[in-house]
Amino acid sequence: MKYSGAQIIWESLLKEGVDVIFGFPGGNTIPIHDALLDYPGIRHILVRHEQGAAHAADGYARVSGKVGVCLATSGPGATNLVTGIATAMLDSTPMVAITGQVFSHLIGSDAFQEVDVTGITLPITKHNYLVTDVNEISRTIHEAFYIARSGRPGPVLIDITKDAQVAQIEWDPAYEESIRLPGYRPDLRPSMNDFEQAAKMIAAAERPVILAGQGILKSGAMSWVRELAEKTDTPVATTLLGIGAFPASHPLNLGMMGMHGEAWVNHTIQNADLLLALGMRFDDRVTGSLSTYAPNSKKIHFELDPSEVNKNVRVDLALIGDLSELLQKLVPNLPQKTHTSWNEEINKLRSESALRDILYTPDNGRLYAAHIMHDILRATQGKAVIVTDVGQHQMWAAQYYKHDYPYHMVTSGGLGTMGFGLPAAIGAKMADQEAEVWVIAGDGGFQMTQAELSTTVQAGIKVNVAIINNGYLGMVRQWQELFYDRRYSATPITSPDFVKIAEAHGLTGLRATNRKEAVEAIDTARATPGTVVIDFRIEPEDCVYPMVPAGAALHKMIRRPMAQ
């Protein structure tokens, strides 16, 4: 049979297991969208902005474990995907972005809505393609999915010219395309000597700490990490993206490390004699000043991507490969150990820090974000998928919503993308339609992509949106308060009436100004069909504590005052 390039696109996506795609049409994707009508097995979610399509594909991938797919036209459609592609790249999210392109004979002529999207996205994709020949479409899509999901996952972009979309060829959908990537070797194996050395270092350690990163989730190594921690009696600290990789309720879970990590966690890392870094890259928000980072510890780095080893922190040993495979070889050969005095010392630090926790202060009639996170946690029994935007609320959610389940914390880590929350939650809900999904957003970031509320209406998707509204671009304001003598330049922000915004979309809007109203609003949102928006009016100048100032040692934290 003869197939058009557009039909081959959908046939190829079906072969890759795609059942949902997030997109926005344009002149140079009309043939693709027209052919979609003949493929009811793939659901197209119409977003309100192409950035929303990329973030939704990202959220879908993080919750489902599959490759997220987004689709946009050429020119501004393609460039609107860029922020979402960069977000996926820095957080190692498997994504395939498909863009339409002008006719191939017009490339380079500054044609209407022509832009060199492969050139633009070269630094923020694992690989990208410009397809001008219909005969190359099927093979390119097959390769793109393989690259996106294999090794260290990431985004791949395919730019397809309009003439390739409309051209027809004899083609067999059953034909299996082969992968021909001689320079791409995602599978790396460490030597047995490396395992023996690692086992000796673990056996000799008296003050070990596991640093649990997102690589655990990407590899599906959660059970092996738990066995490692329990067998060696080693406490576990998580990165922001590693939340959920180790149960929050487990006695060995310390909590989140880094700039806004728990005080006892950072002190523990600084006092350790061995760090077991599992699938994390020693980001600057995790380490603080490199010259003072964990100065007395040996370091073993378990990492899939060799380029991350010794990039930021020099390590004593690197085990390169898939984390699940590495731990399957290592853990059975480790002796049982206990570190009673070390864990007692850590628990003492934990108890001292708890005295400063805002959760333990009396209700003074004002509303604090920490209380909201705790109340959502209590109402959902810790089972909700939490999707955050970026800012103070993101850190409060990481600190106060405790995750026992993997793939339930979705957030933009490396790029720190405001506007990520709502569209990523749409993707997360499509990935797990039975899940209760909550968006935690700030009043600033929410306004960047609030139009996606209409996407939830048209797609029939329910997510609950908690807007942590303090009238500021809060994280920047916090820095201005602490380091710029409260000179609030460009951070006070006005907002529309979020309740009326919700109602304008045909949704339910609620507002809470105190703890009692907050609890009631959360309960109402959960019981109400369709997306619900809650405007939580919190204390304007509340800060995220602890905080490691930029360039400071990890243990040099600014801590919450004892009296709030």
Side-chain angles (χ1 to χ4, degrees), residues 437-464:
V437 178
W438 279 81
V439 181
I440 310 295
D443 44 331
F446 179 73
Q447 291 187 68
M448 292 186 174
T449 52
Q450 65 182 356
E452 301 302 340
L453 288 175
S454 274
T455 303
T456 72
V457 175
Q458 185 167 349
I461 292 170
K462 175 178 173 58
V463 297
N464 292 317

mmCIF file of all heavy atoms in Angstrom, residues 437-464:
data_model
loop_
_atom_site.group_PDB
_atom_site.id
_atom_site.type_symbol
_atom_site.label_atom_id
_atom_site.label_comp_id
_atom_site.label_asym_id
_atom_site.label_seq_id
_atom_site.Cartn_x
_atom_site.Cartn_y
_atom_site.Cartn_z
ATOM 1 N N VAL A 437 -3.993 13.958 41.475
ATOM 2 C CA VAL A 437 -2.883 14.833 41.080
ATOM 3 C C VAL A 437 -3.103 16.224 41.643
ATOM 4 O O VAL A 437 -4.170 16.821 41.455
ATOM 5 C CB VAL A 437 -2.738 14.886 39.545
ATOM 6 C CG1 VAL A 437 -1.613 15.838 39.148
ATOM 7 C CG2 VAL A 437 -2.474 13.488 38.979
ATOM 8 N N TRP A 438 -2.083 16.729 42.331
ATOM 9 C CA TRP A 438 -2.109 18.088 42.864
ATOM 10 C C TRP A 438 -0.995 18.921 42.238
ATOM 11 O O TRP A 438 0.150 18.480 42.170
ATOM 12 C CB TRP A 438 -1.921 18.081 44.391
ATOM 13 C CG TRP A 438 -3.176 17.770 45.144
ATOM 14 C CD1 TRP A 438 -3.715 16.545 45.380
ATOM 15 C CD2 TRP A 438 -4.057 18.727 45.758
ATOM 16 N NE1 TRP A 438 -4.888 16.662 46.105
ATOM 17 C CE2 TRP A 438 -5.115 17.991 46.359
ATOM 18 C CE3 TRP A 438 -4.047 20.120 45.881
ATOM 19 C CZ2 TRP A 438 -6.150 18.609 47.056
ATOM 20 C CZ3 TRP A 438 -5.078 20.736 46.567
ATOM 21 C CH2 TRP A 438 -6.119 19.990 47.144
ATOM 22 N N VAL A 439 -1.357 20.112 41.794
ATOM 23 C CA VAL A 439 -0.375 21.099 41.358
ATOM 24 C C VAL A 439 -0.076 22.017 42.538
ATOM 25 O O VAL A 439 -0.999 22.546 43.161
ATOM 26 C CB VAL A 439 -0.907 21.944 40.186
ATOM 27 C CG1 VAL A 439 0.142 22.960 39.738
ATOM 28 C CG2 VAL A 439 -1.334 21.061 39.029
ATOM 29 N N ILE A 440 1.204 22.197 42.831
ATOM 30 C CA ILE A 440 1.620 23.190 43.814
ATOM 31 C C ILE A 440 2.326 24.293 43.035
ATOM 32 O O ILE A 440 3.390 24.061 42.458
ATOM 33 C CB ILE A 440 2.569 22.600 44.880
ATOM 34 C CG1 ILE A 440 1.981 21.307 45.470
ATOM 35 C CG2 ILE A 440 2.864 23.622 45.955
ATOM 36 C CD1 ILE A 440 0.704 21.486 46.248
ATOM 37 N N ALA A 441 1.729 25.477 42.997
ATOM 38 C CA ALA A 441 2.263 26.557 42.160
ATOM 39 C C ALA A 441 2.309 27.856 42.946
ATOM 40 O O ALA A 441 1.575 28.043 43.922
ATOM 41 C CB ALA A 441 1.397 26.740 40.907
ATOM 42 N N GLY A 442 3.158 28.748 42.506
ATOM 43 C CA GLY A 442 3.182 30.097 43.048
ATOM 44 C C GLY A 442 2.301 31.006 42.223
ATOM 45 O O GLY A 442 1.908 30.675 41.102
ATOM 46 N N ASP A 443 1.996 32.179 42.763
ATOM 47 C CA ASP A 443 1.153 33.116 42.033
ATOM 48 C C ASP A 443 1.859 33.653 40.790
ATOM 49 O O ASP A 443 1.207 34.045 39.825
ATOM 50 C CB ASP A 443 0.666 34.262 42.932
ATOM 51 C CG ASP A 443 1.764 34.837 43.822
ATOM 52 O OD1 ASP A 443 2.692 34.092 44.182
ATOM 53 O OD2 ASP A 443 1.687 36.028 44.187
ATOM 54 N N GLY A 444 3.193 33.660 40.791
ATOM 55 C CA GLY A 444 3.929 34.118 39.616
ATOM 56 C C GLY A 444 3.992 33.063 38.542
ATOM 57 O O GLY A 444 3.588 33.286 37.395
ATOM 58 N N GLY A 445 4.494 31.889 38.882
ATOM 59 C CA GLY A 445 4.638 30.829 37.896
ATOM 60 C C GLY A 445 3.321 30.365 37.320
ATOM 61 O O GLY A 445 3.226 30.048 36.132
ATOM 62 N N PHE A 446 2.272 30.322 38.139
ATOM 63 C CA PHE A 446 0.973 29.876 37.650
ATOM 64 C C PHE A 446 0.476 30.764 36.524
ATOM 65 O O PHE A 446 -0.129 30.280 35.545
ATOM 66 C CB PHE A 446 -0.048 29.844 38.784
ATOM 67 C CG PHE A 446 -1.417 29.426 38.345
ATOM 68 C CD1 PHE A 446 -1.686 28.112 38.019
ATOM 69 C CD2 PHE A 446 -2.441 30.354 38.240
ATOM 70 C CE1 PHE A 446 -2.947 27.720 37.595
ATOM 71 C CE2 PHE A 446 -3.705 29.978 37.819
ATOM 72 C CZ PHE A 446 -3.962 28.650 37.493
ATOM 73 N N GLN A 447 0.741 32.080 36.634
ATOM 74 C CA GLN A 447 0.246 32.991 35.604
ATOM 75 C C GLN A 447 0.920 32.771 34.251
ATOM 76 O O GLN A 447 0.393 33.182 33.222
ATOM 77 C CB GLN A 447 0.444 34.443 36.061
ATOM 78 C CG GLN A 447 -0.453 34.827 37.221
ATOM 79 C CD GLN A 447 -0.380 36.302 37.552
ATOM 80 O OE1 GLN A 447 -0.818 37.160 36.771
ATOM 81 N NE2 GLN A 447 0.186 36.616 38.715
ATOM 82 N N MET A 448 2.090 32.116 34.247
ATOM 83 C CA MET A 448 2.793 31.887 32.982
ATOM 84 C C MET A 448 2.077 30.882 32.085
ATOM 85 O O MET A 448 2.131 30.995 30.861
ATOM 86 C CB MET A 448 4.217 31.403 33.257
ATOM 87 C CG MET A 448 5.121 32.447 33.875
ATOM 88 S SD MET A 448 6.810 31.830 34.006
ATOM 89 C CE MET A 448 7.644 33.323 34.582
ATOM 90 N N THR A 449 1.422 29.896 32.681
ATOM 91 C CA THR A 449 0.771 28.852 31.877
ATOM 92 C C THR A 449 -0.666 28.587 32.334
ATOM 93 O O THR A 449 -1.206 27.501 32.109
ATOM 94 C CB THR A 449 1.581 27.539 31.933
ATOM 95 O OG1 THR A 449 1.824 27.189 33.299
ATOM 96 C CG2 THR A 449 2.907 27.674 31.202
ATOM 97 N N GLN A 450 -1.309 29.595 32.944
ATOM 98 C CA GLN A 450 -2.650 29.381 33.478
ATOM 99 C C GLN A 450 -3.683 29.086 32.398
ATOM 100 O O GLN A 450 -4.737 28.500 32.696
ATOM 101 C CB GLN A 450 -3.086 30.593 34.298
ATOM 102 C CG GLN A 450 -3.256 31.879 33.509
ATOM 103 C CD GLN A 450 -3.636 33.055 34.397
ATOM 104 O OE1 GLN A 450 -3.847 32.891 35.590
ATOM 105 N NE2 GLN A 450 -3.698 34.236 33.819
ATOM 106 N N ALA A 451 -3.376 29.426 31.159
ATOM 107 C CA ALA A 451 -4.319 29.130 30.078
ATOM 108 C C ALA A 451 -4.542 27.635 29.914
ATOM 109 O O ALA A 451 -5.559 27.214 29.341
ATOM 110 C CB ALA A 451 -3.814 29.715 28.755
ATOM 111 N N GLU A 452 -3.624 26.817 30.436
ATOM 112 C CA GLU A 452 -3.802 25.367 30.329
ATOM 113 C C GLU A 452 -4.967 24.859 31.175
ATOM 114 O O GLU A 452 -5.335 23.682 31.083
ATOM 115 C CB GLU A 452 -2.509 24.636 30.685
ATOM 116 C CG GLU A 452 -1.301 24.989 29.829
ATOM 117 C CD GLU A 452 -1.496 24.752 28.329
ATOM 118 O OE1 GLU A 452 -2.407 23.976 27.957
ATOM 119 O OE2 GLU A 452 -0.755 25.357 27.532
ATOM 120 N N LEU A 453 -5.565 25.729 32.000
ATOM 121 C CA LEU A 453 -6.817 25.338 32.649
ATOM 122 C C LEU A 453 -7.852 24.924 31.621
ATOM 123 O O LEU A 453 -8.617 23.974 31.828
ATOM 124 C CB LEU A 453 -7.346 26.483 33.516
ATOM 125 C CG LEU A 453 -6.597 26.790 34.814
ATOM 126 C CD1 LEU A 453 -7.184 28.032 35.465
ATOM 127 C CD2 LEU A 453 -6.641 25.608 35.774
ATOM 128 N N SER A 454 -7.890 25.629 30.492
ATOM 129 C CA SER A 454 -8.846 25.262 29.444
ATOM 130 C C SER A 454 -8.525 23.905 28.845
ATOM 131 O O SER A 454 -9.422 23.203 28.375
ATOM 132 C CB SER A 454 -8.870 26.333 28.348
ATOM 133 O OG SER A 454 -9.771 27.369 28.684
ATOM 134 N N THR A 455 -7.242 23.534 28.849
ATOM 135 C CA THR A 455 -6.868 22.199 28.369
ATOM 136 C C THR A 455 -7.490 21.127 29.243
ATOM 137 O O THR A 455 -7.986 20.115 28.751
ATOM 138 C CB THR A 455 -5.342 22.050 28.338
ATOM 139 O OG1 THR A 455 -4.777 23.078 27.518
ATOM 140 C CG2 THR A 455 -4.933 20.689 27.796
ATOM 141 N N THR A 456 -7.488 21.344 30.560
ATOM 142 C CA THR A 456 -8.095 20.347 31.454
ATOM 143 C C THR A 456 -9.585 20.223 31.202
ATOM 144 O O THR A 456 -10.152 19.130 31.312
ATOM 145 C CB THR A 456 -7.852 20.695 32.947
ATOM 146 O OG1 THR A 456 -8.651 21.819 33.330
ATOM 147 C CG2 THR A 456 -6.391 20.969 33.222
ATOM 148 N N VAL A 457 -10.221 21.340 30.850
ATOM 149 C CA VAL A 457 -11.666 21.307 30.572
ATOM 150 C C VAL A 457 -11.944 20.524 29.302
ATOM 151 O O VAL A 457 -12.766 19.595 29.285
ATOM 152 C CB VAL A 457 -12.225 22.740 30.462
ATOM 153 C CG1 VAL A 457 -13.701 22.696 30.063
ATOM 154 C CG2 VAL A 457 -12.050 23.495 31.771
ATOM 155 N N GLN A 458 -11.258 20.880 28.217
ATOM 156 C CA GLN A 458 -11.524 20.233 26.935
ATOM 157 C C GLN A 458 -11.155 18.753 26.961
ATOM 158 O O GLN A 458 -11.835 17.921 26.349
ATOM 159 C CB GLN A 458 -10.759 20.934 25.806
ATOM 160 C CG GLN A 458 -11.092 20.389 24.423
ATOM 161 C CD GLN A 458 -10.575 21.283 23.303
ATOM 162 O OE1 GLN A 458 -10.143 22.410 23.529
ATOM 163 N NE2 GLN A 458 -10.615 20.789 22.083
ATOM 164 N N ALA A 459 -10.085 18.420 27.687
ATOM 165 C CA ALA A 459 -9.635 17.029 27.750
ATOM 166 C C ALA A 459 -10.360 16.223 28.822
ATOM 167 O O ALA A 459 -10.175 15.004 28.910
ATOM 168 C CB ALA A 459 -8.127 16.984 27.995
ATOM 169 N N GLY A 460 -11.165 16.889 29.661
ATOM 170 C CA GLY A 460 -11.881 16.195 30.716
ATOM 171 C C GLY A 460 -10.959 15.667 31.802
ATOM 172 O O GLY A 460 -11.149 14.567 32.325
ATOM 173 N N ILE A 461 -9.958 16.452 32.158
ATOM 174 C CA ILE A 461 -8.937 16.042 33.126
ATOM 175 C C ILE A 461 -9.176 16.761 34.451
ATOM 176 O O ILE A 461 -9.411 17.971 34.468
ATOM 177 C CB ILE A 461 -7.531 16.379 32.597
ATOM 178 C CG1 ILE A 461 -7.197 15.506 31.385
ATOM 179 C CG2 ILE A 461 -6.467 16.204 33.687
ATOM 180 C CD1 ILE A 461 -5.936 15.929 30.669
ATOM 181 N N LYS A 462 -9.080 16.029 35.550
ATOM 182 C CA LYS A 462 -9.164 16.660 36.868
ATOM 183 C C LYS A 462 -7.793 16.697 37.520
ATOM 184 O O LYS A 462 -7.156 15.667 37.729
ATOM 185 C CB LYS A 462 -10.117 15.914 37.803
ATOM 186 C CG LYS A 462 -10.100 16.506 39.239
ATOM 187 C CD LYS A 462 -11.069 15.809 40.169
ATOM 188 C CE LYS A 462 -10.920 16.290 41.611
ATOM 189 N NZ LYS A 462 -11.121 17.748 41.790
ATOM 190 N N VAL A 463 -7.345 17.894 37.847
ATOM 191 C CA VAL A 463 -6.210 18.081 38.741
ATOM 192 C C VAL A 463 -6.614 19.160 39.744
ATOM 193 O O VAL A 463 -7.456 20.013 39.446
ATOM 194 C CB VAL A 463 -4.919 18.503 37.994
ATOM 195 C CG1 VAL A 463 -4.471 17.425 37.040
ATOM 196 C CG2 VAL A 463 -5.118 19.818 37.239
ATOM 197 N N ASN A 464 -6.065 19.101 40.927
ATOM 198 C CA ASN A 464 -6.316 20.139 41.924
ATOM 199 C C ASN A 464 -5.123 21.081 41.958
ATOM 200 O O ASN A 464 -3.976 20.630 42.054
ATOM 201 C CB ASN A 464 -6.540 19.517 43.303
ATOM 202 C CG ASN A 464 -7.828 18.725 43.366
ATOM 203 O OD1 ASN A 464 -8.858 19.161 42.858
ATOM 204 N ND2 ASN A 464 -7.777 17.546 43.967
#
